[in-house]
Amino acid sequence: MSANQPATPSANEPPGAPAVTRLSRYTTTDQDEILGSGEDPFGVAEAGLTWLPKEEHFGVRLDGRLVAHAGLLRLSVAVEGEKTEVMGVGGVAVAPGVRGRGLARLVLAAALDHARTQGPRHALLFCRPPLVPLYQRLGWHPLDTDVLVEQPGSRVVTMPLRTMVTPLHDDAHWPPGRVRLHSLPM
């Protein structure tokens, strides 16, 4: 699929649902188009973390305006010392005026459909506690363990946000144990 082209429709997408597009880029201007300009559009500044940009982007436009986004980034993690890769999901955003219409589900479904073709067996995201029920309804599962992430200056810190995972394949099962992300969070 080329950039700025419709993503392959998800099997769960209802007829008449807005099209999800794979975006060739995602800029601060695009983010502002969805969330408005502000110092802390995702409500995570108090965590004091430095974040990685996503490499692949999916969006929904309504009447020519970008109103929803989800980004992906392939990352190395270790669970109880055993290295593996995950598809990191981040930058999930839906414009305030169109929330409650299933756009987060649509854009995440398209991103995860793509992630399933990339090799990792799980997707991982970090979210604020009030969003946990939304992600659970979308098939994500909170981890009950600390997750360590890297930060500038060779620091390793415990992720203060809730870590959630979802399998990308039917036979994928998240192993128990402490998790270490071998990079900045996404």
Side-chain angles (χ1 to χ4, degrees):
M1 161 176 48
S2 63
N4 286 329
Q5 297 296 315
T8 304
S10 170
N12 299 326
E13 196 170 301
V20 177
T21 303
R22 186 162 175 200
L23 306 172
S24 60
R25 62 187 173 83
Y26 183 71
T27 66
T28 302
T29 302
D30 296 321
Q31 180 178 299
D32 290 350
E33 187 174 4
I34 297 171
L35 296 174
S37 60
E39 300 224 0
D40 189 13
F42 291 99
V44 296
E46 71 181 33
L49 299 173
T50 300
W51 301 85
L52 286 173
K54 280 38 98 188
E55 292 180 348
E56 300 185 72
H57 304 277
F58 298 83
V60 173
R61 292 186 188 279
L62 293 176
D63 299 323
R65 177 179 169 231
L66 189 62
V67 296
H69 169 267
L72 294 175
L73 179 64
R74 190 177 185 141
L75 299 167
S76 174
V77 300
V79 181
E80 281 303 311
E82 190 73 28
K83 286 189 176 184
T84 189
E85 287 189 325
V86 296
M87 290 302 291
V89 175
V92 179
V94 176
V98 295
R99 290 181 182 158
R101 295 172 52 181
L103 298 180
R105 182 186 50 75
L106 283 176
V107 76
L108 278 168
L112 293 177
D113 283 349
H114 177 73
R116 286 181 182 91
T117 70
Q118 301 304 298
R121 302 188 51 72
H122 291 89
L124 181 139
L125 64 77
F126 303 111
C127 72
R128 292 181 297 114
L131 296 175
V132 168
L134 166 69
Y135 285 107
Q136 285 179 308
R137 286 190 304 275
L138 298 174
W140 293 79
H141 309 282
L143 293 183
D144 292 325
T145 186
D146 286 339
V147 175
L148 301 175
V149 300
E150 294 180 5
Q151 287 294 282
S154 300
R155 291 184 312 129
V156 176
V157 301
T158 300
M159 171 53 72
L161 302 173
R162 200 61 200 261
T163 305
M164 301 186 79
V165 297
T166 193
L168 295 174
H169 304 282
D170 289 340
D171 61 346
H173 302 284
W174 188 262
R178 194 169 172 123
V179 178
R180 163 97 191 257
L181 183 65
H182 292 285
S183 68
L184 298 174
M186 61 296 155

